[in-house]
Amino acid sequence: MNKKDEILRCALEIVSLKGMDALTLNSLSEAVGLSKASMYHYFSSKEEIISQMLDMGHRNIMKNGFLLDLSGEPKDVLEKAAEKWENMFLDEDNWHFLRAVFSLHLSFPKAQDEYRSLFLMLSSQASVIISSFNTDQEKKRALIPLYSSALMMSLERILEDEEADFSTPLLGVLSLLN
């Protein structure tokens, strides 16, 4: 890993674990073993660090792909999707990125864009999953936004270290399908 990526990963970790106020050039330079002046060799400002930190996290989460296996009964499809999301979102690098996005999305436009993208991705996947089920269209239209919102709430709870997972919304969808 090059020094610039190391700085960005360290910045993600600081923001995700300690919050935005803890991310200073002093704390970051100390964590990566550089002088504060050397930091300016890599980045011109804290805002540039945040922007590139979010770009790096986005690239990392996208490389995992979002293809879902839609074969099998509804319960099987939902369980496979929940397992894929948990594996992807609980990956250490992705976890730090997502915590940073959730903590910054109200104050940084780029983080807000990432938050929206994440919601759209989960909504799109919920739509594809629910649409693949053999149930009436009215029920499908009602389930998609419910499932999408429940997935996003589960992700937020997981990132807050609460006892949550993606199987809770799965059980809700299964009960509504019957």
Side-chain angles (χ1 to χ4, degrees):
M1 170 184 339
N2 65 40
K3 194 55 123 176
K4 191 172 184 176
D5 285 347
E6 182 183 345
I7 294 167
L8 294 173
R9 286 185 193 282
C10 191
L12 263 176
E13 197 170 311
I14 289 170
V15 171
S16 72
L17 297 175
K18 299 177 184 174
M20 188 60 201
D21 291 339
L23 181 64
T24 64
L25 288 179
N26 285 335
S27 67
L28 193 52
S29 63
E30 185 178 305
V32 295
L34 289 174
S35 68
K36 187 175 172 182
S38 295
M39 295 294 287
Y40 287 104
H41 172 72
Y42 298 98
F43 303 98
S44 62
S45 67
K46 182 176 172 179
E47 288 71 28
E48 182 183 4
I49 293 170
I50 294 167
S51 178
Q52 288 190 27
M53 168 187 88
L54 292 171
D55 287 344
M56 182 185 74
H58 178 85
R59 283 190 308 274
N60 189 52
I61 208 165
M62 294 306 290
K63 78 178 180 187
N64 290 309
F66 294 105
L67 294 177
L68 295 175
D69 181 356
L70 300 175
S71 63
E73 295 297 314
K75 182 178 186 211
D76 299 329
V77 172
L78 290 165
E79 286 174 349
K80 288 184 281 188
E83 182 179 349
K84 176 157 179 106
W85 291 324
E86 286 175 12
N87 289 338
M88 181 171 54
F89 296 141
L90 295 177
D91 169 82
E92 185 178 359
D93 289 336
N94 292 338
W95 185 85
H96 286 296
F97 167 67
L98 293 167
R99 281 200 39 125
V101 166
F102 274 73
S103 70
L104 298 174
H105 82 277
L106 296 175
S107 54
F108 286 89
K110 194 168 200 164
Q112 188 175 48
D113 291 344
E114 287 296 331
Y115 184 89
R116 283 188 194 123
S117 293
L118 183 61
F119 182 75
L120 288 173
M121 181 275 300
L122 285 173
S123 295
S124 296
Q125 290 196 331
S127 179
V128 167
I129 290 168
I130 300 297
S131 295
S132 73
F133 296 156
N134 188 18
T135 190
D136 66 84
Q137 291 299 323
E138 188 173 321
K139 190 178 270 192
K140 287 179 186 181
R141 280 192 299 275
L143 283 175
I144 290 169
L146 290 172
Y147 190 43
S148 300
S149 297
L151 290 173
M152 197 67 167
M153 288 180 359
S154 290
L155 177 57
E156 191 164 355
R157 288 183 54 217
I158 288 168
L159 295 172
E160 292 173 354
D161 291 331
E162 293 184 24
E163 292 296 318
D165 56 34
F166 286 106
S167 62
T168 302
L170 172 148
L171 296 172
V173 167
L174 288 175
S175 70
L176 293 172
L177 281 173
N178 297 326

